[in-house]
């Protein structure tokens, strides 16, 4: 992973920025040539030229040479036109970057450095005719440093700048040959809202399509809509919470105890039923008040200012899923409330999907987004908290790989014991409980690592056995091939062996003759 640093433009970066932009734009010439070759009129001209020359000259070499010459001329012409476009860009806003982008408050220019070397650039200035829109311009990343997330980081820098300066959206233009750039913009969150053919002769001939992308920044109405959506999602849990209250053994025991106590003391069924009903109503109101308090707490803390809580810090974020103008899902990530408990982790919060859109995979997609966000920033864990009534959410989280590591039951008796112990004793018990839970979690992790280690060893043993089996099969095949030799092959081998023996005997005779000759001499 490359370590990079994003900073504002300085006057000393002028030539480096211009060279980086020119080099990056020049890389699109081969793609532009390929795009031109796909145009119907180009294919028609090449085909007609080839056919006419082949018919008139009755030679295949001449048409091939002519087509090659046409392609070479076209390549040079496209390169010249593209270089004219690059020169025009260099003579416009990149001629004096300091005055164009840093001369007033609503625009800026950034560079990304790796080892004090500029490897990427991006600029932002107000859109012409739309003062509430910010235009992203001159995005360029050196070829050796692509794929490390530098372009996405620059895009997010521009988005944060637009948010801080009160812009409603960020817009940009891309050409049809910038396939990787379009994919990157869409990955950041931009969406294409318009495209058109460049209204020039060259643009029409080359079918040069310009796509316009937009990233809409949420307004105060959008934040209010999110809060309303969250309130609706929380209120859906109240009936399930009441059902859980009615079906719990503690409630049954309490109702039975009250009924028997009143009946034995008054011998009246009516009074017993009235007392039991009052107990039920009080329980329902208490449960409803609990959820109302939880909702008010959320609205008074992080949901009060979503922008400040989630969007103005580096390691927090808030995502929504919209269907047209309607929000149908949302999720957020934030540092956990107790960092000492979880260590290097981030907490998933405010997960909610509209009832009509459940079962379509939106929840899993949002969870994957959160996990990817945490992985890119080097966090080891994603934690979350749920209530007992969120059973569907439990299944989704477990299917996505989450494991239950802690269960708290803040019952009335537990609170009473904590209040009775009070002071340092209560804090000491809490600390001991936390340490115990941490040890349990560490034990579970160690067991998980052992299981993974055993699994890897089994896989390695299995691979070794497979390799040994394959080697045995190869040996058997070799032996079978030896046995399958035909009669002619055996005869040829026997003949070769006889020739070798004959050659050896001849060699021995020659040596013997030479020896006798030397003895006679």
């Amino acid at each position: 992973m490359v370590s990079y640093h994003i900073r504002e433009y300085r006057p000393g970066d002028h030539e480096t920025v211009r060279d980086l932009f020119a080099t990056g734009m020049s890389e699109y010439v081969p793609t532009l040539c390929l795009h031109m070759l796909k145009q119907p009129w180009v294919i028609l001209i090449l085909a007609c030229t080839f056919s006419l020359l082949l018919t008139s000259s009755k030679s295949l070499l001449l048409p091939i040479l002519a087509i090659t010459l046409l392609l070479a001329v076209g390549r040079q012409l496209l390169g010249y036109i593209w270089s004219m476009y690059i020169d025009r860009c260099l003579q416009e806003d990149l001629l004096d970057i300091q005055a164009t982008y840093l001369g007033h408050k609503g625009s800026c220019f950034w560079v990304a450095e790796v080892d004090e070397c500029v490897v990427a650039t991006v600029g932002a200035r107000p859109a012409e005719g739309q003062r509430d829109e910010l235009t992203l311009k001159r995005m360029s990343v050196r070829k050796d440093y692509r794929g490390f997330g530098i372009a996405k980081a620059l895009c997010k820098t521009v988005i944060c700048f637009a948010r801080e300066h009160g812009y409603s959206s960020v817009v940009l233009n891309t050409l049809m040959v910038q396939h990787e750039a379009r994919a990157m913009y869409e990955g950041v969150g931009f969406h294409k809202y318009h495209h058109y053919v460049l209204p020039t002769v060259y643009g029409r001939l080359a079918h040069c399509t310009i796509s316009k992308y937009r990233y809409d920044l949420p307004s105060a109405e959008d934040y209010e809509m999110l809060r309303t959506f969250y309130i609706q999602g929380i209120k859906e849990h109240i009936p399930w919470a009441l059902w859980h209250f009615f079906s719990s053994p503690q409630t049954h025991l309490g109702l039975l105890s009250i009924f028997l106590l009143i009946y034995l003391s008054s011998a009246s069924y009516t009074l017993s039923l009235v007392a039991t009903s009052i107990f039920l109503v009080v329980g329902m109101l208490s449960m409803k008040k609990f959820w109302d308090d939880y909702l008010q707490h959320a609205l008074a803390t992080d949901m009060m200012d979503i922008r400040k809580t989630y969007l103005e810090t580096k390691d927090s974020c808030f995502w929504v899923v919209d269907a047209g103008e309607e929000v149908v899902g949302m999720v957020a990530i934030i540092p956990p409330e107790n960092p000492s408990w979880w260590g290097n982790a981030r907490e998933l919060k405010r997960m909610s999907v509209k009832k009509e859109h459940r079962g379509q995979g939106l929840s899993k997609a949002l969870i994957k987004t959160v996990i990817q966000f945490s992985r890119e920033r080097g966090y080891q864990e994603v934690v979350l908290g749920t209530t007992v009534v969120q059973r569907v959410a439990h299944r989704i989280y477990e299917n996505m790989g989450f494991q239950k590591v802690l269960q708290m039951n803040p019952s009335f008796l537990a609170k009473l014991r904590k209040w009775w112990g009070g002071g340092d004793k209560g804090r000491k018990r809490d600390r001991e409980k936390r340490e115990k839970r941490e040890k349990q979690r560490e034990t579970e992790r160690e067991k998980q690592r052992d299981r993974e280690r055993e699994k890897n060893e089994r896989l390695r043993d299995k691979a070794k056995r497979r390799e040994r089996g394959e080697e045995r099969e190869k040996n058997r095949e070799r032996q079978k091939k030896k046995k399958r030799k035909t009669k002619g092959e055996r005869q040829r081998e026997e003949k070769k062996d006889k020739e070798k023996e004959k050659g050896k005997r001849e060699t021995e005779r020659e040596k013997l003759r030479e020896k006798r000759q030397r003895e006679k001499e």
Side-chain angles (χ1 to χ4, degrees):
M1 189 67 182
V2 175
S3 177
Y4 56 88
H5 169 65
I6 297 175
R7 61 169 176 82
E8 288 189 6
Y9 169 85
R10 297 170 187 165
D13 304 325
H14 184 260
E15 291 300 326
T16 306
V17 169
R18 287 167 59 88
D19 292 342
L20 184 61
F21 174 77
T23 304
M25 294 300 292
S26 300
E27 294 174 1
Y28 290 110
V29 175
T31 310
L32 183 62
C33 293
L34 185 61
H35 174 76
M36 283 295 298
L37 287 175
K38 294 179 181 179
Q39 301 305 311
W41 65 271
V42 175
I43 297 173
L44 181 62
I45 289 175
L46 293 176
C48 292
T49 303
F50 185 86
S51 301
L52 288 173
L53 291 175
L54 182 63
T55 305
S56 60
S57 65
K58 297 182 180 180
S59 172
L60 186 61
L61 182 60
L62 182 61
I64 293 175
L65 292 175
I67 294 298
T68 305
L69 181 62
L70 282 176
L71 291 176
V73 172
R75 167 67 174 78
Q76 294 298 322
L77 181 61
L78 282 175
Y80 174 72
I81 295 171
W82 194 251
S83 64
M84 288 175 58
Y85 168 72
I86 295 174
D87 292 338
R88 184 164 60 85
C89 294
L90 294 175
Q91 294 300 321
E92 291 179 350
D93 56 318
L94 293 178
L95 182 62
D96 190 351
I97 300 174
Q98 185 75 24
T100 306
Y101 289 96
L102 302 177
H104 51 90
K105 187 178 179 181
S107 59
C108 194
F109 200 94
W110 298 268
V111 298
E113 284 185 331
V114 175
D115 297 332
E116 298 184 356
C117 178
V118 175
V119 298
T121 65
V122 71
R125 57 190 300 189
E128 296 180 1
Q130 297 288 338
R131 305 304 297 178
D132 60 338
E133 291 183 353
L134 186 69
T135 304
L136 185 150
K137 298 173 70 69
R138 309 314 177 201
M139 169 72 77
S140 183
V141 181
R142 188 176 293 178
K143 192 173 184 179
D144 300 339
Y145 293 92
R146 293 172 190 169
F148 296 107
I150 299 177
K152 287 186 177 180
L154 289 171
C155 283
K156 291 177 181 178
T157 302
V158 174
I159 292 170
C160 291
F161 178 84
R163 186 180 292 116
E164 291 172 359
H165 288 77
Y167 289 100
S168 63
S169 61
V170 180
V171 296
L172 58 91
N173 299 332
T174 60
L175 292 170
M176 70 289 176
V177 295
Q178 296 174 305
H179 307 295
E180 296 178 355
R182 290 207 301 270
M184 185 272 296
Y185 292 135
E186 291 172 0
V188 172
F190 286 84
H191 63 276
K192 185 169 70 172
Y193 69 97
H194 182 58
H195 68 276
Y196 62 94
V197 177
L198 194 66
T200 61
V201 176
Y202 298 128
R204 293 190 180 94
L205 287 176
H207 193 66
C208 184
T209 306
I210 296 178
S211 301
K212 299 177 75 69
Y213 282 80
R214 179 193 299 274
Y215 185 98
D216 293 315
L217 296 170
S219 60
E221 292 79 8
D222 296 328
Y223 291 130
E224 187 62 33
M225 182 172 59
L226 286 177
R227 283 189 284 270
T228 304
F229 177 73
Y230 177 72
I231 292 170
Q232 293 173 354
I234 290 296
K235 287 184 176 180
E236 290 179 3
H237 295 303
I238 295 178
W240 292 104
L242 294 176
W243 174 255
H244 175 73
F245 171 73
F246 290 143
S247 60
S248 65
Q250 293 89 343
T251 304
H252 298 165
L253 181 61
L255 292 173
L256 183 60
S257 301
I258 291 173
F259 183 85
L260 292 176
L261 182 63
I262 300 298
Y263 179 74
L264 292 175
S265 61
S266 64
S268 172
Y269 284 107
T270 305
L271 186 60
S272 302
L273 290 174
V274 170
T276 306
S277 301
I278 292 173
F279 178 80
L280 281 175
V281 172
V282 171
M284 292 171 59
L285 293 176
S286 301
M287 186 62 64
K288 187 175 183 303
K289 186 177 184 305
F290 167 78
W291 282 97
D292 289 340
D293 292 343
Y294 172 78
L295 185 59
Q296 293 301 323
H297 174 73
L299 294 175
T301 52
D302 59 303
M303 294 296 289
M304 175 177 283
D305 193 347
I306 298 174
R307 172 181 168 182
K308 183 178 180 181
T309 307
Y310 293 102
L311 302 179
E312 292 185 357
T313 56
K314 181 181 178 182
D315 297 329
S316 302
C317 197
F318 200 101
W319 297 270
V320 298
V321 180
D322 57 356
E325 299 293 331
E326 182 184 14
V327 175
V328 298
M330 69 179 189
V331 72
I333 189 170
I334 197 172
E337 295 181 0
N338 298 309
S340 59
W341 284 22
W342 306 110
N344 189 21
R346 279 296 175 267
E347 183 177 2
L348 184 150
K349 293 176 73 72
R350 311 312 177 202
M351 165 72 79
S352 182
V353 176
K354 197 169 184 179
K355 192 174 183 179
E356 293 80 3
H357 294 268
R358 292 172 189 169
Q360 301 177 7
L362 298 181
S363 299
K364 291 185 178 180
L366 289 169
I367 294 171
K368 289 179 181 178
T369 302
V370 171
I371 294 173
Q372 182 65 25
F373 179 87
S374 303
R375 184 180 291 116
E376 289 176 354
R377 282 153 181 77
Y379 294 107
Q380 298 177 353
E381 293 178 336
V382 176
V383 299
L384 57 91
T386 61
T387 60
V388 68
V389 298
Q390 295 172 300
R391 297 174 183 174
V392 178
H394 294 171
R395 290 196 296 270
I396 294 173
Y397 294 138
E398 290 171 359
N399 290 335
M400 293 298 296
F402 286 84
Q403 298 177 355
K404 185 168 70 173
V405 296
L406 181 63
Q407 182 173 350
M408 295 183 292
N409 185 21
S411 62
F412 174 75
L413 293 177
K415 292 181 179 179
L416 183 62
R417 285 196 300 269
K418 184 176 180 180
W419 173 79
W420 185 262
D424 296 335
K425 293 182 179 179
R427 285 191 290 271
K428 184 178 179 181
R429 282 196 298 271
D430 291 341
R431 186 167 57 254
E432 290 174 353
K433 288 180 181 179
R434 286 198 298 270
E435 292 175 356
K436 185 178 179 181
R437 285 194 292 266
E438 187 63 31
K439 289 180 181 178
Q440 291 176 353
R441 291 182 64 223
E442 188 61 34
T443 304
E444 289 294 330
R445 290 174 186 161
E446 189 64 32
K447 290 180 180 178
Q448 183 68 21
R449 285 194 289 268
D450 292 340
R451 286 194 291 268
E452 291 290 335
R453 198 178 301 113
E454 292 175 358
K455 183 179 178 181
N456 293 333
E457 289 177 357
R458 287 196 298 270
L459 291 175
R460 283 195 294 270
D461 294 339
K462 188 176 180 180
K464 289 180 181 178
R465 288 195 298 270
R466 191 186 304 114
E467 290 176 359
R468 288 196 292 268
E470 291 175 356
E471 189 64 29
R472 286 195 294 269
E473 287 294 331
K474 289 180 181 178
N475 292 333
R476 292 195 194 100
E477 289 293 331
R478 292 194 197 100
Q479 293 175 1
K480 288 180 181 178
K481 286 181 180 179
K482 290 180 180 179
K483 292 179 181 178
R484 290 175 190 163
K485 288 181 179 178
T486 61
K487 184 178 179 180
E489 290 177 346
R490 288 196 296 271
Q491 289 177 354
R492 284 194 293 272
E493 288 182 356
E494 290 174 358
K495 187 176 179 180
K496 288 180 181 179
D497 293 338
K498 288 179 181 179
E499 290 177 354
K500 288 181 181 179
E501 291 292 333
K502 186 177 179 181
K504 288 181 181 179
R505 288 195 295 270
E506 290 291 337
T507 305
E508 290 176 357
R509 289 195 192 101
E510 287 293 333
K511 289 181 180 179
L512 186 59
R513 289 194 199 98
E514 291 176 358
K515 185 177 179 181
R516 288 175 181 173
Q517 187 69 26
R518 285 196 299 270
E519 289 176 354
K520 288 179 180 180
E521 292 176 354

